[in-house]
Amino acid sequence: DGGITQSPKYLFRKEGQNVTLSCEQNLNHDAMYWYRQDPGQGLRLIYYSQIVNDFQKGDIAEGYSVSREKKESFPLTVTSAQKNPTAFYLCASSISSGITDTQYFGPGTRLTVL
Amino acid sequence: GENVEQHPSTLSVQEGDSAVIKCTYSDSASNYFPWYKQELGKRPQLIIDIRSNVGEKKDQRIAVTLNKTAKHFSLHITETQPEDSAVYFCAATGGGTSYGKLTFGQGTILTVHP
């Protein structure tokens, strides 16, 4: 999982602003995922992408948007429509989107809304 | 959809003791069950996984057992060490979905006292 990077590590946002979180991988993985982690809870899926130029909503997609223009990159935009965006955001990737393919996580971005 | 319940939420043991964390899942079609360890502020890291055609898997001090009939799986850590202290997450995937969607448990905070 050293081949997955996320930036920035910490991000502060004012209410009403959109922010974009970066996720890059050099593992040649087809599938990429975005999860949100809140204190005392497990990870919840926001969006996933099985292949370039394709992505699907996860369980909590409202207020978020993504793009997948390159295999290596899967940026997440947290829009002003997301009512409670303060959380730890984790990107993951797997060699394909197969059901038993292991997902490897990036180091995460901690977003705080001021 | 899939629902994963994880118990206990906190677990405190003495160094050298064993620790057991249990998870139940709802969808009988689920067939891949990874366990992740997450240290404070860090990324989740895969420590062991099991697929539905296997009942038990071991890796040094760590083992996972799967009971598909009862729809539960467990993580066993023997001879615990202080560096095992972390949050552990179970997850399940498959379950009728066409991609590797992971549904996570709520996490167990394991503390190993020297």
Side-chain angles (χ1 to χ4, degrees), chain A residues 1-4 9 33 35 37 40-45 48 50 57-59 88 90 97-108 110, chain B residues 29-32 34 36 38 40-46 49 51-52 87 89 93-107:
Chain A
D1 44 301
I4 304 174
K9 186 173 182 180
Y33 309 81
Y35 292 90
Q37 186 175 28
Q41 297 189 35
L43 285 68
R44 293 180 291 168
L45 182 66
Y48 69 98
Q50 295 174 283
K57 292 181 179 180
D59 295 324
F88 189 45
L90 288 157
S97 58
I99 289 172
T100 60
D101 288 333
T102 300
Q103 292 185 25
Y104 299 94
F105 286 86
R110 189 167 298 280
Chain B
S30 289
N31 54 14
Y32 175 59
Y36 288 86
Q38 186 179 30
L40 189 63
K42 302 287 183 64
R43 75 186 78 193
Q45 293 195 310
L46 181 75
D49 56 15
R51 290 166 174 82
S52 63
V87 181
F89 291 97
T93 192
T97 59
S98 61
Y99 70 101
K101 176 184 175 181
L102 282 175
T103 301
F104 284 83
Q106 297 84 353

Side-chain angles (χ1 to χ4, degrees), chain A residues 69-111:
Chain A
E69 298 176 0
K70 298 188 299 182
K71 187 175 186 178
E72 303 80 17
S73 178
F74 191 40
L76 173 74
T77 296
V78 185
T79 74
S80 57
Q82 170 48 235
K83 297 305 179 187
N84 185 22
T86 295
F88 189 45
Y89 291 87
L90 288 157
C91 177
S93 71
S94 59
I95 192 165
S96 74
S97 58
I99 289 172
T100 60
D101 288 333
T102 300
Q103 292 185 25
Y104 299 94
F105 286 86
T109 292
R110 189 167 298 280
L111 172 64

Side-chain angles (χ1 to χ4, degrees), chain B residues 25-37:
Chain B
Y25 61 98
S26 60
D27 195 326
S28 57
S30 289
N31 54 14
Y32 175 59
F33 308 92
W35 285 89
Y36 288 86
K37 174 184 179 182

